[in-house]
Amino acid sequence: MMTESPAFNRIIDTAARLFAAQGFAATSIEQVASACGVGKDTIHRRFPSKGALFAAVVERMRTRTLDGLQAEIDGGGDGDALSRLKRVARWFLAVAFEPDRIALNRIALSEAILLGEGRRDPWESDPITDRLVALVAAAQWDGMLGGDDPRMIAAHLLHSIVLGPSNDAMLGRETYASPEARDRFFDRAWTLFLHGAGRSPPAAAR
């Protein structure tokens, strides 16, 4: 992976801070240039539009998420496959509540069509999803999870544990603001993920 220059990193970090604090519409290329001490032309040579600059900010966030996820997987010790999956699922919930991530996700959602996100296939493979899918598949291989398609199970896990609380935070609510509230939610959501909501059919019907 190519290492970006300090100037590039400064532009991205400054843009991320301004986008998170002010929103997409209120942040200009001129503001970013002034705040990080470079000329506007320097930014335009790298990023032809404000949308391209924001897309680079989002890509940096994804890269850091991937790095953090890999560190979480690598540092997980020798627990069984299901324990590793549970720990990583809880990590995803914690990461979703980082303040800058909430702000940038809110912008990404509101600007999805402009940024081309509306054209992305939600089932499309990406490195973050692929690592979660691999953890699901490992738990299936060990007989600790059932089901068929590990990619669908991984998507369901993220939706059931992360999506609701994350959307709640993006709307400015504080339902899950404390770690204790997130722990309580996670314990219930994880149990529901493992056991489902359906009742077992009567023995005679099996």
Side-chain angles (χ1 to χ4, degrees):
M1 181 184 297
M2 182 178 66
T3 301
E4 298 290 356
S5 69
F8 177 90
N9 289 328
R10 187 165 68 253
I11 291 168
I12 295 297
D13 291 340
T14 301
R17 175 172 53 81
L18 290 174
F19 280 130
Q22 302 177 165
F24 184 83
T27 300
S28 67
I29 295 290
E30 290 79 2
Q31 285 178 321
V32 175
S34 176
C36 65
V38 301
K40 187 171 66 172
D41 289 346
T42 299
I43 296 180
H44 278 300
R45 279 197 296 272
R46 289 269 191 173
F47 311 103
S49 67
K50 185 168 69 171
L53 177 58
F54 183 75
V57 169
V58 171
E59 185 58 33
R60 168 67 61 82
M61 182 174 67
R62 287 175 176 157
T63 297
R64 289 180 174 172
T65 299
L66 178 59
D67 290 344
L69 173 58
Q70 191 61 55
E72 184 69 20
I73 293 171
D74 293 343
D78 299 323
D80 62 49
L82 190 61
S83 297
R84 293 195 297 273
L85 178 63
K86 182 178 181 180
R87 189 187 64 257
V88 166
R90 183 63 182 85
W91 177 86
F92 270 108
L93 181 59
V95 167
F97 277 82
E98 294 173 353
D100 284 354
R101 186 178 300 271
I102 292 171
L104 293 174
N105 281 341
R106 186 184 293 124
I107 298 169
L109 183 62
S110 66
E111 304 294 337
I113 296 176
L114 171 65
L115 298 172
E117 293 296 315
R119 296 189 294 272
R120 288 175 61 90
D121 181 353
W123 296 94
E124 183 180 346
S125 176
D126 70 82
I128 295 172
T129 302
D130 290 347
R131 281 159 175 76
L132 185 62
V133 170
L135 291 169
V136 169
Q140 290 177 309
W141 179 263
D142 287 352
M144 296 176 173
L145 276 183
D148 186 11
D149 181 1
R151 186 165 295 276
M152 185 173 184
I153 294 172
H156 172 69
L157 177 60
L158 284 181
H159 277 265
S160 61
I161 286 178
V162 178
L163 189 62
S166 176
N167 286 345
D168 197 85
M170 284 193 287
L171 290 170
R173 298 170 182 157
E174 297 189 353
T175 311
Y176 309 99
S178 72
E180 294 78 15
R182 293 196 290 274
D183 283 342
R184 288 193 297 271
F185 169 80
F186 179 82
D187 288 343
R188 294 195 299 269
W190 178 257
T191 299
L192 186 59
F193 166 73
L194 287 183
H195 303 294
R199 295 180 62 186
S200 298
R206 294 177 185 170

